[in-house]
Amino acid sequence: MRIQRILTALLLAVTALLTTGATCAEPAPATTAFTIKGLDLHDAQLARFGDTYYMYGSMYGCGFQWYGPAPTTWCGFGVSTAPSPQGPWSPPKQLFDPASQDPSFKRSWQDTCAGTSQGCFNPRMIQRTGWGSSDGVFILWFNAPRQYSDGAPNAYNAMGCAGPLGPCGPGAQPYGSYSKPNLDICSGANGDFGFIQSATPGARPAIICTRAGNSGLSIQELNWWGTGGNTGVGVTNVAGLTGVEGPGGWWDATTNQYVITYADQGCGYCSGTPLGYATAPTLYSGWTAPTNVGWGQPAYARRDFDVSSCGGQARTIAVLDGQPWQIIDLWLGTRNETQANTHVVPLHYTPTTGTPGDGQVWRPPLHLEC
């Protein structure tokens, strides 16, 4: 009789759930830092398209050595997929053949990226959805520093892709294409870059570029097709920063402002670099970073909210399911970084009060819970 009562109670509970239309809740998104290990994808981007998470990055497993004996071998860009940012991640799939042609210089990408061992980096995938032509096409951007060394106005490239897994570039049906981006605000840009979404519905994303020379940041709105810049729309000399790299950013709806982060200062394959920030009320004006007062004070002391980037080097920002995450390369400090891991840390912006010279304790509005 007791077993029968238990079964009856279970039946009533199930019936109640079905009657009220209740369903099992999806697992809550992760809110703590995690490390992606054993995946040969570096200077990476994380993105969600549909119900799948994607990780894009530079590959080293074929033996590429940055600024090693030239020529070296360029391994190309890869993409992996997972049901959640924590994985499990699929084996990387190449986005395009390194032996295919670099249309802007009529040579192979292998030659452009490995001929002088300068490499090609920063694969960033965006989707033309909700802005521009809004046709759902995927566009891969990346930088090729040798192009700038050989006289191009910038080091960036944009390829139309068959889908989020590629293939990308000319001949990749049905949307394969190639464009050498026309960028006036980001003219002379040859370093790391990231994208930032506008808070204005229907507005195009913007590229945050690192300019040659003093490694300052500029921000330029993309054109209708997302393959170049919207002429004259953007800002140079963001927050007066110099010597920085690895930029990324997001619109913080809680405080109604844009936030960008960056490695401060920039260096190659470094571990333990400071992580800085800047904010603005609008995307193309008003960017500021905290300053200091006194004699001999470094310009970056208050704008750096973490002294070591969890022991790695900041790469860019990924906004997943509404939450911004700081992507960090845990470099080994070698010319080949096949075994380096990627660390991912949630970011929360909490406004603080205070100005340099007010005699009060300074508490940065961002922090990393490594």
Side-chain angles (χ1 to χ4, degrees):
M1 292 296 293
R2 181 181 178 186
I3 294 176
Q4 185 176 1
R5 288 195 298 270
I6 293 173
L7 291 174
T8 300
L10 288 172
L11 179 61
L12 290 173
V14 171
T15 301
L17 285 173
L18 294 175
T19 302
T20 58
T23 58
C24 294
E26 292 185 3
T31 57
T32 58
F34 59 94
T35 302
I36 300 173
K37 300 180 179 180
L39 200 60
D40 187 21
L41 296 174
H42 312 279
D43 49 271
Q45 171 201 14
L46 291 175
R48 178 179 176 176
F49 300 119
D51 293 330
T52 303
Y53 294 87
Y54 295 80
M55 183 171 178
Y56 301 91
S58 301
M59 298 191 291
Y60 288 77
C62 73
F64 173 75
Q65 293 191 48
W66 185 54
Y67 279 115
T72 184
T73 302
W74 185 58
C75 309
F77 300 125
V79 56
S80 293
T81 61
S84 77
Q86 293 77 19
W89 290 95
S90 66
K93 174 183 179 294
Q94 208 166 63
L95 288 169
F96 63 88
D97 185 355
S100 60
Q101 187 184 62
D102 170 359
S104 61
F105 281 88
K106 309 302 180 186
R107 62 193 178 203
S108 70
W109 286 111
Q110 186 64 242
D111 192 11
T112 290
C113 302
T116 57
S117 70
Q118 288 176 263
C120 289
F121 304 101
N122 275 217
R124 303 285 180 257
M125 188 72 80
I126 58 175
Q127 187 180 21
R128 215 159 44 206
T129 296
W131 55 272
S133 62
S134 194
D135 53 11
V137 172
F138 289 88
I139 308 154
L140 174 70
W141 281 64
F142 60 94
N143 72 326
R146 185 184 175 184
Q147 291 179 335
Y148 184 75
S149 299
D150 288 348
N154 62 71
Y156 301 146
N157 301 272
M159 288 183 174
C161 303
L165 289 172
C168 303
Q173 297 299 323
Y175 304 115
S177 64
Y178 172 82
S179 296
K180 183 63 181 172
N182 182 15
L183 299 164
D184 60 334
I185 305 294
C186 283
S187 178
N190 72 336
D192 295 341
F193 69 96
F195 288 107
I196 185 169
Q197 297 292 328
S198 172
T200 304
R204 306 162 200 165
I207 181 174
I208 312 172
C209 59
T210 307
R211 304 188 68 176
N214 67 2
S215 295
L217 298 181
S218 295
I219 302 176
Q220 182 165 3
E221 185 181 59
L222 296 185
N223 62 17
W224 179 262
W225 301 104
T227 56
N230 186 10
T231 302
V233 181
V235 58
T236 61
N237 194 32
V238 171
L241 302 170
T242 59
V244 302
E245 63 180 352
W250 77 98
W251 166 254
D252 189 75
T254 302
T255 58
N256 290 320
Q257 64 183 336
Y258 292 93
V259 184
I260 60 172
T261 66
Y262 44 85
D264 188 10
Q265 299 280 295
C267 53
Y269 296 155
C270 296
S271 60
T273 57
L275 181 57
Y277 78 100
T279 61
T282 61
L283 189 49
Y284 304 120
S285 65
W287 284 98
T288 59
T291 57
N292 299 287
V293 297
W295 290 269
Q297 285 297 314
Y300 46 81
R302 288 184 183 233
R303 76 189 188 204
D304 289 346
F305 63 93
D306 191 89
V307 297
S308 70
S309 298
C310 298
Q313 185 176 34
R315 180 53 49 201
T316 193
I317 297 293
V319 180
L320 303 174
D321 307 313
Q323 168 65 53
W325 297 81
Q326 181 69 58
I327 310 299
I328 297 171
D329 284 313
L330 298 178
W331 295 126
L332 306 175
T334 59
R335 296 192 185 280
N336 180 281
E337 292 284 351
T338 306
Q339 302 302 321
N341 295 324
T342 299
H343 197 53
V344 187
V345 188
L347 288 171
H348 302 279
Y349 188 87
T350 304
T352 58
T353 58
T355 58
D358 62 7
Q360 302 300 313
V361 173
W362 172 246
R363 294 181 175 86
L366 291 162
H367 68 282
L368 294 183
E369 292 289 344
C370 296

